[in-house]
Amino acid sequence: LRKKLKRVWVTKKVTFFFNIEYSGIDLEGNRYILKSKEARNDNKNQNIIFMKEVSGIFYFKDGTNLKINSSEGIYNNQTLDIIFIREVIAFYRDGKLLAERAEYNNSENNIKVTNNVHVIDITGEIFADELFFDMNENKLDIASYKNKKINANINLK
């Protein structure tokens, strides 16, 4: 694409990648692998990668794993922040999470999940507008904005 800017023609340079894989260690020392079938860089910030058909796995130091997939994603290869967008599905221990957006903020060590959040595990189900997990505090906040109610079905055996 080209755009005219004060009589100067600027060519938008975008690089496309196919079947890419990023791996590394986050600031807390947890290992991760992030894969995408197709990706492209941001011409304004080369650290930003826009991805399609994204899958990730996080290997936590406590021995647990988080697997997550989404239709799209945005990865910052400098800060290691990751945003999973559209048709997000995640598996952790015996639970499954469905949502439209999940944001991993590496520098602040938190995860924010929004838009049609549905959590299913052996203890029951939760429907909410937002989950916010502070990994430093090991604290989960659950919020609902539309009807100010959180729909939960919990098995207390």
Side-chain angles (χ1 to χ4, degrees), residues 67-83:
K67 295 178 182 177
I68 186 165
N69 297 306
S70 65
S71 296
E72 299 174 21
I74 302 171
Y75 176 58
N76 184 319
N77 62 21
Q78 183 177 13
T79 65
L80 309 181
D81 294 342
I82 305 166
I83 302 173

Side-chain angles (χ1 to χ4, degrees), residues 4-5 10 12-13 15 27 36 48-49 58 66 79 86 108 114-115 125 129 143 148 150-151 156:
K4 194 172 182 179
L5 179 65
V10 178
K12 184 177 179 179
K13 295 181 181 177
T15 304
L27 294 176
S36 176
I48 304 297
I49 308 297
F58 296 82
L66 168 68
T79 65
R86 289 191 32 230
E108 295 183 20
T114 57
N115 300 341
E125 292 184 80
D129 291 324
K148 298 187 174 108
I150 297 168
N151 188 358
L156 300 173

Side-chain angles (χ1 to χ4, degrees), residues 1-150:
L1 295 172
R2 294 181 180 181
K3 78 175 142 166
K4 194 172 182 179
L5 179 65
K6 295 183 183 178
R7 296 183 188 213
V8 176
W9 286 92
V10 178
T11 301
K12 184 177 179 179
K13 295 181 181 177
V14 176
T15 304
F16 286 90
F17 307 93
F18 299 93
N19 299 315
I20 64 162
E21 180 176 307
Y22 290 97
S23 62
I25 298 175
D26 68 14
L27 294 176
E28 293 297 311
N30 300 302
R31 192 168 60 89
Y32 69 91
I33 298 172
L34 187 62
K35 296 179 182 180
S36 176
K37 291 199 176 184
E38 181 183 318
R40 66 174 174 81
N41 67 322
D42 182 334
N43 69 324
K44 295 177 185 173
N45 183 345
Q46 295 296 310
N47 295 322
I48 304 297
I49 308 297
F50 296 97
M51 302 178 295
K52 291 184 179 182
E53 296 186 53
V54 183
S55 66
I57 185 162
F58 296 82
Y59 302 93
F60 298 114
K61 291 186 290 187
D62 67 0
T64 60
N65 298 332
L66 168 68
K67 295 178 182 177
I68 186 165
N69 297 306
S70 65
S71 296
E72 299 174 21
I74 302 171
Y75 176 58
N76 184 319
N77 62 21
Q78 183 177 13
T79 65
L80 309 181
D81 294 342
I82 305 166
I83 302 173
F84 297 90
I85 305 166
R86 289 191 32 230
E87 299 175 356
V88 177
I89 183 166
F91 299 93
Y92 181 73
R93 295 187 180 177
D94 292 329
K96 178 167 94 170
L97 176 137
L98 304 166
E100 290 301 312
R101 186 175 182 98
E103 303 174 38
Y104 171 60
N105 185 324
N106 183 49
S107 58
E108 295 183 20
N109 205 25
N110 62 52
I111 298 171
K112 181 179 176 182
V113 181
T114 57
N115 300 341
N116 300 318
V117 180
H118 183 190
V119 179
I120 307 161
D121 73 8
I122 58 173
T123 60
E125 292 184 80
I126 295 175
F127 296 88
D129 291 324
E130 180 180 300
L131 298 179
F132 183 82
F133 183 61
D134 184 329
M135 295 186 292
N136 292 323
E137 302 276 330
N138 201 24
K139 180 180 170 187
L140 175 65
D141 290 326
I142 304 170
S144 181
Y145 303 109
K146 295 175 187 167
N147 60 12
K148 298 187 174 108
K149 294 180 184 178
I150 297 168

